[in-house]
Amino acid sequence: MKNKHNYLEKFPYKVGGSLDFDHPAYIVRSADFEIYNALKVGEYCYILNARQTGKSSLRVRTKSKLEQLNIKCGEIDLTGIIGQNSSPQQVYAGIVQELINNFSLDVNCATWWRDRREISPIQCFSEFIDKIILARHSEHFVIFIDEIDRLLNSPVSARDFLALIRYFYDKRTSYSSYKRLTFALLGVAAPSELMGNNLSTPFNIGRAIALNGLQLHEALPLATGLREITNNPQIVLKQILHWTGGQPFLTQKLCQLAIASPAYISEGKEEEFIAELVRSRILENWETQDDPQHLRTIRDRLLESQNSTRILTVYRRILRRGAIAVDKSTEQIELRLAGVAIEQQRELQVYNRIYVNIFNLHWLKTAIATPSLLQILSRWRWLFSFLLAIVGFRYWFPRLHIELNDRGVSSYLAKRYRLAGLYYQCALFLNPNYRKVRYNLGSLYEEWNQSEKAQKEYYLAIQGGVTEAYNNLARLYLLEKRYLEAIALLKEGLQKSEAQTDAVVRYAFLKNLGWALFKEGESVQAEEYLREAIALMTTRAPSYGLLAQVLEAQGRKEEAQVIWGQFLELAPRDPSPEVQAWTLVAP
């Protein structure tokens, strides 16, 4: 046998992540030809499919091929632009900056955006396309927008964004320059989730690109890497596809597991070898072996949906019948987006044998019958409280709620937000009067962009004497332009002992109070509080950015210029939305 490790260097399988346009493990499918031929003639396209089905790799390869035709291609990944606390201005400015970078345009984004501060962010983006992209250049442009589902639950309206894309298309009838602009949208969402009004979205004028599983004739290049472990690489590949159904991620993973095995596959043993490999390396203890994560992603999407019970009920019908007729129901669309089901000849069936074995009737029975602990605690808290009171649970574990809260904080800091929420709810279940956890829940709801729930939790925390909650609730009022309410809260909070003794807490109060007073036109008082904040914390950018704006409003331009300079030196260290927004208006 040849040296396997040397061979692997020549033919690397890729499990997870997008493939380079010339990667040897890239498999060309019918979707490659369809999207390439559509985009090169200016047809809008969209790919809305499950994760790890090859969308990003297809985008990378298509972009490379289009650029060979001298078509300029830009890539915008909304994951890197839309954050938990991003404002619409930041999102659209981020998109513009990405286009400037992609097309190497001689435009200063901050300056260009600042000169248009009086118009809305979406108007700025529209003007950038019209006046910069199309007016200054004669080439054809294709813009790929990936992770389009990030628009859901974001500060940017998905409906407005997609209406603008549709507007660009409609302008082709009056302005020929717009025939040189084409969009391709990719993500994990149903059109119905994104579009709202059918008449103002691109989904009824664009071409839907289907990503089907790999067929044997398409996947034959993958057999190249199997030659080192068998005399019949195509038979081994056929057995792999028998289990994966051609699902790209699982197919690459099984190929990689096969060549990493020390065993050589004897003739006639191909089916047995792959079946044992699947059993031992994928099916057994699948949650532990699921690395990189794939199966758990499917599980979580199925269980965490708001319509989880109805979705799983439809899935049970598929398992029992083998397949069901395709319709346009929300439940069927969600099963396809989760990746567990696929359409074949106008029927919906489970994608592959691996999913059938893992997400089987036994798993389904447990999933449907057993709601999450969060649901149990929420629906039956009164009953559990009564039972636990009887058995004296709190007597035996008087500090357990504190331990649960602390674990929630650790999970929150590690960005494991669902787990943090579970810990917080358990802590509240054990001690509903523990106000510190209310404050932490408020922070969690902010991460999930659920401002109303966050405000409710902060209010309850205030009732329990949590000083920081005054500041956080006031900041949310600030963002909603409820300045007088914010001022009252902040002044009350400043009187608390913690705000008197803790420099970090006091700084936050002073900074936000200066901000609120400035917005209410009280620039003299605002300046006093902001200067005190700067004296407390000399390396925090927000107070400098606010003070510079206060000085500008007072007509003290030279002093403001100095403060702006200090702000811009500190701004790169602070990723907060307000700081990023103020960098766009800094001179």
Side-chain angles (χ1 to χ4, degrees):
M1 186 188 306
K2 300 175 185 177
N3 186 306
K4 184 187 301 185
H5 295 291
N6 289 341
Y7 194 80
L8 288 178
E9 292 176 2
K10 297 178 183 178
F11 196 93
Y13 293 104
K14 182 72 180 295
V15 182
S18 59
L19 297 169
D20 295 336
F21 73 94
D22 58 350
H23 196 286
Y26 184 85
I27 302 303
V28 178
R29 291 179 275 181
S30 59
D32 288 76
F33 301 103
E34 188 176 3
I35 192 171
Y36 170 72
N37 289 326
L39 291 176
K40 76 176 182 180
V41 296
E43 190 173 352
Y44 281 33
C45 296
Y46 61 93
I47 306 175
L48 301 177
N49 211 320
R51 300 204 178 279
Q52 298 174 324
T53 52
K55 295 187 299 297
S56 296
S57 298
L58 177 61
R59 167 179 55 79
V60 171
R61 189 176 178 87
T62 304
K63 173 178 177 290
S64 176
K65 291 181 64 180
L66 290 172
E67 287 174 338
Q68 293 174 18
L69 300 177
N70 294 320
I71 296 175
K72 285 186 170 291
C73 295
E75 300 172 293
I76 297 174
D77 188 336
L78 293 180
T79 300
I81 294 174
I82 299 178
Q84 290 288 345
N85 298 310
S86 300
S87 66
Q89 180 180 9
Q90 289 173 293
V91 172
Y92 282 107
I95 292 172
V96 166
Q97 183 64 67
E98 283 296 300
L99 292 176
I100 290 172
N101 296 341
N102 274 250
F103 299 134
S104 301
L105 302 176
D106 186 20
V107 178
N108 183 300
C109 180
T111 302
W112 188 90
W113 200 271
R114 186 169 60 248
D115 291 343
R116 288 155 183 81
R117 68 179 72 177
E118 299 304 320
I119 63 177
S120 70
I122 197 169
Q123 287 177 299
C124 284
F125 178 43
S126 178
E127 183 175 326
F128 182 82
I129 293 291
D130 188 47
K131 304 299 184 184
I132 304 297
I133 298 288
L134 298 178
R136 296 186 185 181
H137 301 84
S138 59
E139 300 94 337
H140 283 75
F141 292 86
V142 172
I143 298 175
F144 295 87
I145 302 180
D146 206 351
E147 301 290 346
I148 194 74
D149 46 291
R150 290 287 296 176
L151 291 173
L152 301 173
N153 301 317
S154 82
V156 171
S157 165
R159 181 184 60 190
D160 292 348
F161 182 86
L162 295 173
L164 179 62
I165 302 299
R166 172 61 187 254
Y167 169 74
F168 292 148
Y169 180 86
D170 290 340
K171 291 193 76 171
R172 290 178 168 190
T173 58
S174 303
Y175 301 92
S176 61
S177 61
Y178 278 85
K179 295 178 181 178
R180 297 187 285 106
L181 176 68
T182 307
F183 284 88
L185 310 179
L186 304 90
V188 186
S192 59
E193 288 183 279
L194 294 164
M195 62 189 183
N197 181 358
N198 289 344
L199 299 178
S200 63
T201 67
F203 297 117
N204 53 2
I205 52 94
R207 176 182 294 197
I209 307 296
L211 284 180
N212 298 314
L214 305 177
Q215 302 300 309
L216 179 60
H217 69 277
E218 296 171 330
L220 285 178
L222 297 179
T224 305
L226 302 172
R227 292 174 183 168
E228 290 297 298
I229 60 170
T230 179
N231 288 328
N232 300 303
Q234 291 188 21
I235 296 178
V236 173
L237 179 61
K238 183 178 179 179
Q239 290 302 317
I240 289 174
L241 295 175
H242 176 66
W243 278 96
T244 68
Q247 204 286 334
F249 177 92
L250 288 175
T251 301
Q252 294 271 358
K253 182 171 184 176
L254 257 183
C255 286
Q256 189 179 76
L257 290 172
I259 62 174
S261 171
Y264 192 80
I265 307 175
S266 303
E267 188 169 350
K269 298 291 185 180
E270 296 87 359
E271 180 178 354
E272 179 184 337
F273 177 88
I274 295 301
E276 174 59 24
L277 190 66
V278 171
R279 184 195 62 78
S280 62
R281 299 302 304 276
I282 294 181
L283 300 182
E284 286 188 354
N285 301 315
W286 65 268
E287 290 174 303
T288 303
Q289 296 201 85
D290 187 33
D291 184 31
Q293 182 169 315
H294 174 75
L295 300 168
R296 285 174 291 159
T297 300
I298 295 173
R299 176 204 63 191
D300 291 347
R301 184 167 183 115
L302 291 173
L303 297 183
E304 293 175 4
S305 171
Q306 292 182 346
N307 302 318
S308 177
T309 301
R310 293 205 301 269
I311 292 167
L312 293 177
T313 300
V314 173
Y315 180 64
R316 180 168 57 191
R317 287 172 51 210
I318 297 175
L319 281 177
R320 287 177 170 172
R321 300 180 185 181
I324 61 175
V326 168
D327 60 36
K328 297 182 179 180
S329 68
T330 302
E331 293 78 18
Q332 286 200 13
I333 291 172
E334 187 59 35
L335 287 171
R336 292 160 70 175
L337 290 175
V340 74
I342 190 170
E343 180 181 345
Q344 296 284 0
Q345 299 178 342
R346 301 187 62 79
E347 288 189 326
L348 198 66
Q349 62 186 47
V350 182
Y351 200 134
N352 56 53
R353 292 185 68 191
I354 290 176
Y355 297 161
V356 167
N357 278 270
I358 289 177
F359 305 113
N360 53 29
L361 287 171
H362 175 74
W363 174 87
L364 191 60
K365 181 179 180 180
T366 304
I368 292 178
T370 309
S372 70
L373 183 56
L374 275 174
Q375 292 173 317
I376 294 173
L377 293 175
S378 176
R379 295 175 185 175
W380 302 100
R381 177 179 292 176
W382 64 271
L383 177 60
F384 277 97
S385 296
F386 175 73
L387 293 174
L388 290 176
I390 293 176
V391 300
F393 190 89
R394 293 189 182 95
Y395 174 80
W396 292 107
F397 303 99
R399 294 181 55 82
L400 183 56
H401 63 285
I402 298 175
E403 172 67 20
L404 289 168
N405 176 66
D406 291 344
R407 292 195 178 199
V409 172
S410 298
S411 298
Y412 175 87
L413 294 174
K415 299 187 183 301
R416 300 171 66 185
Y417 298 130
R418 288 183 62 252
L419 184 58
L422 177 60
Y423 279 127
Y424 292 152
Q425 291 288 359
C426 288
L428 274 180
F429 163 62
L430 293 175
N431 187 349
N433 297 318
Y434 185 40
R435 299 303 182 183
K436 186 67 174 180
V437 77
R438 291 289 186 186
Y439 171 79
N440 292 330
L441 262 176
S443 299
L444 184 62
Y445 284 131
E446 281 199 69
E447 287 291 341
W448 289 336
N449 285 323
Q450 298 180 21
S451 180
E452 289 186 10
K453 290 185 177 180
Q455 290 180 34
K456 177 181 177 181
E457 297 299 337
Y458 287 144
Y459 178 78
L460 292 172
I462 287 172
Q463 302 304 109
V466 181
T467 303
E468 303 101 304
Y470 285 90
N471 181 66
N472 286 28
L473 181 56
R475 180 170 45 76
L476 292 179
Y477 286 169
L478 267 168
L479 296 174
E480 294 180 357
K481 300 182 180 181
R482 297 161 63 180
Y483 303 128
L484 291 176
E485 293 174 80
I487 290 170
L489 268 178
L490 291 164
K491 286 186 174 180
E492 182 179 349
L494 267 176
Q495 305 305 314
K496 304 298 178 182
S497 59
E498 189 174 357
Q500 298 291 325
T501 58
D502 189 312
V504 174
V505 173
R506 185 170 181 79
Y507 165 83
F509 275 100
L510 293 169
K511 181 262 294 182
N512 285 332
L513 186 51
W515 188 358
L517 288 166
F518 169 54
K519 291 296 185 180
E520 270 297 301
E522 302 289 342
S523 64
V524 175
Q525 290 186 61
E527 180 183 355
E528 292 177 5
Y529 284 112
L530 291 170
R531 289 195 182 278
E532 185 179 347
I534 290 173
L536 271 177
M537 297 281 173
T538 59
T539 59
R540 299 287 182 93
S543 49
Y544 288 95
L546 285 165
L547 179 58
Q549 294 174 67
V550 168
L551 295 174
E552 280 187 342
Q554 295 175 355
R556 297 154 66 182
K557 302 295 185 183
E558 292 184 4
E559 292 179 70
Q561 190 76 21
V562 174
I563 301 298
W564 275 125
Q566 294 171 294
F567 166 76
L568 291 173
E569 286 182 12
L570 298 170
R573 308 176 196 171
D574 191 328
S576 62
E578 58 266 28
V579 168
Q580 299 306 309
W582 294 335
T583 57
L584 296 175
V585 300

